[in-house]
Each structure stands twice: as C-alpha cells, then as structure tokens.
Amino acid sequence: MTLQPKDMPDFSFDAGSQTLSIPVPEAFSFDEALIYLTRSPLECLHQVADRKVYKLLELQDGPVLIEISEAGDSSVQLRRVDGKPMSPTAWEAAADYVRDWFDLRTELTPFYRMAETDPLLGKLAADYYGLRIIGVPDLFEALCWAVIGQQVNLAFAYTLKKRLVETYGRQVMWNGHAYWLFPQPQDIAAARVDDLRKLQFTGKKAEYVIHIAGLMESGALSKESLMTSGDFDTAERTLTSIRGIGPWTAHYVMMRCLRLPAAFPIGDAALHNALKERLNLPGKPSHDEIRVIFAPWKYWEAYAVFYLWRSLHPAAGKAASASEGHE
C-alpha cells in the first residue's frame, strides 16, 4: 500500500535555479498539507509563510534550510534558501525526506475506492480529497513527540517539545528567524531526569525519553530494524516492550513514522470525539463500538483516523487536528 507508481520519476533538478521538483500523485492536496502543518503557532521544527514551508534538514552538507512550495498541480519544488549548491547525494536525501514527510509514496486509489460508498468515510474523503498523513520521518522524534503528547493538551505538548528542542537541538538563523533540528538520541541519552523536569516534563516522561534515547544511541532500537522486522505485529510488540510506550503510542508511531496504513490508535481521544460528532452519539463510543465502525476499513485504519481528526475542525486551518495526541 506504500508503493510509488513505477512511471513516476523520483525528481527533476534544475542546475540553473538550483531547484528540485518532486512529482506528486494526483490525489495530493498541498492546501490540506498546509492546513495540517499550520495547526499550531507553537510549532518549532518548521515554519510556513506565503504558502511556502521552511524546514531545516540534517544533510550530508550539514544543516540545510529548505524551502518547499507548490509548483503547479503536479509537483512540489525544493530550494535551498541560501542559494548555495548542494551535492547530488544531499539533494536526493532532501527529496527522500519530503516524499516521506508529505506521504507522497502511498497509492491512495484503493482507499478512495473503499470510501466511495461508505456513508461515514465517503463524505470525509470527498471533503478532504488529497489529504495525506503528514508524517514524522525520524523515529526518535516520533517517539519523543508521542510520549510528550500522552495525557496533555496539544498546546502544552508543543510547549514541551519547543523547550526540549531549544535546549538540546541545533539551530540555523536566516532572515531573523531561528530554524531548529530535533535533538539526536546522543543529545538526550546523557541527560538526567532532573534536567528534563526543569523543562516541566514529568519524572516519568523524562525517564521514558532518556531511556528511548539510550536504546537508539546504542543501536538496540532503530527505524530500519522496525521496518525490516517482517510484519506489523512484530513492530508493535517491539515498541510496546519499551517503557513508556503503550498501544496508543506504538500505533501513533507506526502510523506517522513507519507508514503502516493498518496502524490504529484506538484509544485516541480526538478519534472518539470525531466519531461522537460525526455519528451524533450521546457519548463517546466504546472500543468495541469503534472496532465495529472500523471493520469495513480494514488495512486503512490509519487513514480513516487521520480523516476523522481532520473533520474536527473543517473550517479552522490552524486548529486542524487540535485534539490529536491523547490517549
């Protein structure tokens, strides 16, 4: 379900303008991507201005600030903002990151075909056509973000992430703005619990994040090993065996980082609210009721969840998915 069409070239590069164009599938909406990316003014790892996305990437050439914009209906364009040339390997890495981040490799035709005749999902698929699961390509960042988001509102989760990034991450200044890289595992592994408590992490969350950093720094945990583990259940078991990672956290990471379309964070509070609202239920549905509702969407649960999150705030771009990230 994550195959890129064989006739779609990876990218095209214009040496004169030092820009790289990535073709996008027909079922891709740059507008929907921007709505998701601007859902919080507290976001510290990218910025959006004038329909352009600015993202600091760690590439072969070091930290590089990339501008991502829409180029017609058929591609997105990448440009290094300082205009300096980059190696082919660095451009390829940047293109790979954006394809993963914007979920450009997923063939959504089967999802839309399934949703077409569904009384609940059909309207969502039509209203938000081209919405894709904006991801978190880096496993350490995805795990930290999921742990940070446990049992807190989204605004405070963003505040905690910002403090972590600005304490342990690296920055590049451009046009008076700071652009940040998420910390590497080695940046956090040596931290003490009290160090993170000063940032208003709970003691438990501080322990979890430091422990995860240690696992990743040692190589005991990696995205590559999870992706090549062979099956969905193995990835889930590996993640839930880690302190601080329960079923919701594991499935959230499987959904947004590992790109497993059957990932199903059934305990998500925003999902419960969306179903209650869309189905006019008197209260939040039970897990058993949710399983029945989702039964026709088997193997596409992650996308159904993402579209239901989007439905919570259909008119307010920066508030889209504002309740996402709660068990």
Side-chain angles (χ1 to χ4, degrees), residues 182-314:
F182 194 81
Q184 294 294 304
Q186 61 268 25
D187 299 325
I188 304 296
R192 298 172 302 171
V193 168
D194 284 348
D195 296 332
L196 297 193
R197 284 179 62 84
K198 291 174 184 174
L199 307 181
Q200 282 194 288
F201 279 68
T202 64
K204 287 295 185 186
K205 284 188 181 180
E207 289 176 14
Y208 299 156
V209 167
I210 292 169
H211 178 61
I212 291 166
L215 291 176
M216 295 205 65
E217 183 188 28
S218 70
L221 176 67
S222 70
K223 184 175 180 178
E224 292 71 26
S225 64
L226 289 172
M227 295 291 286
T228 58
S229 61
D231 65 75
F232 182 98
D233 293 337
T234 300
E236 181 182 18
R237 283 196 301 270
T238 299
L239 288 170
T240 54
S241 70
I242 299 168
R243 279 192 295 132
I245 300 180
W248 174 84
T249 306
H251 279 259
Y252 183 84
V253 170
M254 291 160 70
M255 173 183 179
R256 295 199 62 209
C257 180
L258 303 186
R259 294 293 181 194
L260 299 175
F264 188 9
I266 193 171
D268 189 82
L271 170 63
H272 301 172
N273 289 334
L275 289 171
K276 178 178 180 290
E277 190 173 294
R278 301 299 299 186
L279 298 173
N280 295 313
L281 301 175
K284 293 181 181 179
S286 68
H287 284 199
D288 286 342
E289 290 170 326
I290 294 173
R291 289 187 185 96
V292 171
I293 293 167
F294 270 71
W297 310 332
K298 194 168 179 60
Y299 303 119
W300 287 102
E301 290 91 342
Y303 286 86
V305 168
F306 209 71
Y307 275 68
L308 282 160
W309 281 345
R310 174 67 176 89
S311 74
L312 287 171
H313 300 277

